[in-house]
Amino acid sequence: MTKQDGIVRGPHGVALLLFALVWLSCVWFGSFELNPNNATRLFGALSLVERGEATIDRYQTLTIDKAQFTHESVTHYYMDKAPGVTLMAAPVVWATNWVTGGNSYDQVIDITNPKLADFLRLRLALAVAFGAALLTAFAAVLLFDLGTGITGSPAAGLFAALGYALGSVVWGWSTTLFGHAPVAALLLIATWAIWRGTSGDREIARWRYPLMAGGALGWAVAIEFPSALGGIAIGLWALWRSREAAWPVRRRLYLIAVGTALVAVLPLAAYNQFAFGTPFMTGYQGVVGFGGMNEGLFGLTYPKPYVLWEILFGTRRGLLWVAPVLMLGALGVSRMIRAPATRDLGVLALSVILIVLAVNASYAYWDGGASVGPRHSVPAIPFLALGLAPFWASLRGMGAKVAAAALLGASMLLNLVVAATDIFAPETMVTPVWTRNFVGLFAHAKLNTLPNLYWGWQPWWGFALYLDIALPLLGLMLWWTRRADRARSE
């Protein structure tokens, strides 16, 4: 355990182990390659790599998530998403095609073709490994550092990081090409960079923090447009945190951050220009088959109280049922707001949480279709998890700590089962985690692990191998942080 500018930092070894555990956990378990949301992004990447086009005409029958535009009596299809995740996946798809010597034109484009499924599954797995999994693992390490810094306790930081990355549906969504988990990670990365970059005179003079914050916020918008609202809150907080610095210093910080954000969002404009002939058109303007997108602004109207209740507590999509440990995080955010030293950070966390929940509750398709948990609310999870650090640090008795650790353990076990089976629960299930993930899939060994998908192992053997690797890593982290906490208290 070390100190920098008066801020306690956890052991670097724990940070490395945490990164390895989270990345491995996201990579070890797969998601369905022909889920429409996964597939449309993969198809977009394949078109860019193999034909230098944005259209997905050849694949459009395989996904309901698509946009349709007609020009001069010619109809073309495109993915109906912001392009950020597809642009991240494109280099991975190119490299995989180059190494394997294959491309999609070797495949019969038929949803029943098992060779096509294998082709897509490999590219999905590698795109996740070098995309969402990396971002989630990196963000978990930064949350460990942030939680340790605001409490002085490495154990509190680790409690928060595990609650975020493995104790919530961030884990399951980090096995997909959906944008929710990457955006959650990027918003957290920007928050850490601003917090660290304004923690002292030496830190505020360093260019890497505004560079990181601006880049993370800009790229989040390229992945999901609504992330701009959370980004505005984080930007305003950055102005507040830096208000006492001399103007020349602040000017330099703002120019770097804003300039980097603009550079990071440029690929979005470039893609739109390439695909539609103008940077100001998006795939959402041509969505096929989802009439609710015509309500308000691309499906966004106003927050509905009953939807907010369902997002938080409903048995079908409620956050409570897929990440119960986050209840403690809400209490911790309240403690942050009450404490003068962390009040600004607590207000920011609450602001981002409310913004994300309000946007989700305003959306025509708020339930996310086939989903475990409220997938559109995933970007709020790291800010709820941030509250876990002060909550843990406030516990005095061993019994209270054991109870909190048990709730975290239950959340991690629940999300292990979800990640190992299927993050895409059918829309109509009232209790999807129990009905589908536990009873329908896990109890019958219907698992998606690397060994059984690619090496021909039995599913339980692949699951057991994961535990053989993950549990020792987790145990070593717990021992190391406990030792660091004891050294701090002596």
Side-chain angles (χ1 to χ4, degrees):
M1 188 169 64
T2 60
K3 273 193 174 184
Q4 182 176 328
D5 287 324
I7 296 175
V8 175
R9 307 196 72 172
H12 295 310
V14 173
L16 292 173
L17 292 174
L18 176 63
F19 182 93
L21 175 61
V22 173
W23 184 82
L24 175 72
S25 299
C26 296
V27 170
W28 196 267
F29 303 107
S31 62
F32 182 39
E33 61 280 350
L34 283 171
N35 171 273
N37 212 311
N38 271 338
T40 196
R41 289 184 164 101
L42 269 178
F43 298 153
L46 287 167
S47 292
L48 288 172
V49 166
E50 294 177 357
R51 294 184 63 84
E53 297 176 354
T55 59
I56 61 168
D57 297 346
R58 185 165 185 261
Y59 319 99
Q60 62 90 10
T61 59
L62 304 184
T63 178
I64 59 173
D65 285 351
K66 56 193 173 188
Q68 175 183 314
F69 295 96
T70 300
H71 179 65
E72 296 180 353
S73 301
V74 178
T75 297
H76 289 293
Y77 293 89
Y78 302 80
M79 66 172 184
D80 61 345
K81 313 296 179 188
V85 170
T86 291
L87 295 177
M88 285 196 298
V92 179
V93 169
W94 175 86
T96 307
N97 283 3
W98 183 76
V99 170
T100 62
N103 62 62
S104 68
Y105 284 84
D106 300 328
Q107 308 297 327
V108 176
I109 304 302
D110 186 327
I111 199 167
T112 63
N113 179 9
K115 291 185 178 180
L116 175 64
D118 292 342
F119 174 88
L120 295 174
R121 187 183 304 121
L122 175 62
R123 284 148 184 82
L124 170 64
L126 292 172
V128 165
F130 293 100
L134 277 179
L135 286 172
T136 296
F138 184 48
V141 170
L142 298 187
L143 183 54
F144 169 61
D145 185 65
L146 178 51
T148 300
I150 63 175
T151 62
S153 166
L158 184 61
F159 188 68
L162 291 175
Y164 154 66
L166 301 181
S168 77
V169 286
V170 164
W171 186 352
W173 291 112
S174 295
T175 68
T176 74
L177 285 185
F178 287 53
H180 313 309
V183 164
L186 289 165
L187 294 181
L188 180 58
I189 289 167
T191 300
W192 175 88
I194 294 165
W195 170 77
R196 175 61 67 183
T198 55
S199 61
D201 293 338
R202 185 174 66 172
E203 298 300 304
I204 205 168
R206 290 178 170 168
W207 57 268
R208 63 173 178 260
Y209 298 115
L211 191 73
M212 183 183 296
L217 294 179
W219 192 244
V221 174
I223 291 175
E224 285 190 352
F225 301 137
S227 64
L229 298 174
I232 290 171
I234 294 172
L236 293 174
W237 176 66
L239 296 178
W240 172 261
R241 290 277 297 186
S242 61
R243 69 192 185 281
E244 294 182 356
W247 169 242
V249 174
R250 283 185 289 143
R251 179 179 59 191
R252 175 175 171 271
L253 294 177
Y254 302 159
L255 287 174
I256 293 174
V258 173
T260 307
L262 291 175
V263 169
V265 91
L266 274 179
L268 166 63
Y271 174 86
N272 290 339
Q273 177 69 41
F274 175 71
F276 310 116
T278 170
F280 305 109
M281 178 177 281
T282 72
Y284 287 111
Q285 292 169 255
V287 170
V288 176
F290 292 90
M293 294 296 288
N294 296 321
E295 300 175 15
L297 179 64
F298 299 126
L300 296 175
T301 53
Y302 60 90
K304 289 88 170 175
Y306 80 91
V307 173
L308 185 60
W309 174 268
E310 289 295 321
I311 289 169
L312 293 173
F313 307 111
T315 57
R316 190 164 72 97
R317 289 291 181 269
L319 194 59
L320 167 66
W321 304 106
V322 292
V325 73
L326 294 182
M327 292 187 299
L328 307 182
L331 298 176
V333 170
S334 175
R335 294 186 66 89
M336 291 170 63
I337 294 172
R338 293 198 304 270
T342 57
R343 181 168 296 146
D344 64 306
L345 185 56
V347 169
L348 171 70
L350 179 61
S351 299
V352 176
I353 292 165
L354 293 177
I355 288 170
V356 173
L357 293 178
V359 170
N360 195 167
S362 302
Y363 189 37
Y365 300 103
W366 64 269
D367 63 350
S371 170
V372 172
R375 65 181 178 89
H376 296 294
S377 288
V378 165
I381 288 177
F383 296 91
L384 278 166
L386 177 58
L388 292 173
F391 179 85
W392 178 269
S394 71
L395 300 177
R396 293 294 175 263
M398 181 57 67
K401 290 186 176 181
V402 169
L407 186 59
L408 172 61
S411 294
M412 292 172 64
L413 177 61
L414 186 157
N415 283 284
L416 168 60
V417 171
V418 170
T421 52
D422 190 6
I423 193 69
F424 307 123
E427 298 181 47
T428 55
M429 285 189 174
V430 177
T431 55
V433 174
W434 176 251
T435 305
R436 179 167 175 77
N437 295 103
F438 275 89
V439 177
L441 298 175
F442 189 75
H444 296 91
K446 295 180 179 178
L447 311 177
N448 294 308
T449 73
L450 279 178
N452 71 269
L453 289 175
Y454 295 100
W455 307 338
W457 289 28
Q458 291 296 318
W460 284 126
W461 286 109
F463 188 80
L465 180 59
Y466 168 76
L467 294 180
D468 284 343
I469 299 171
L471 290 178
L473 288 176
L474 180 61
L476 182 56
M477 283 191 292
L478 295 175
W479 171 80
W480 208 332
T481 52
R482 186 181 181 189
R483 190 178 70 168
D485 261 21
R486 285 181 172 176
R488 177 181 62 91
S489 61
E490 290 175 356

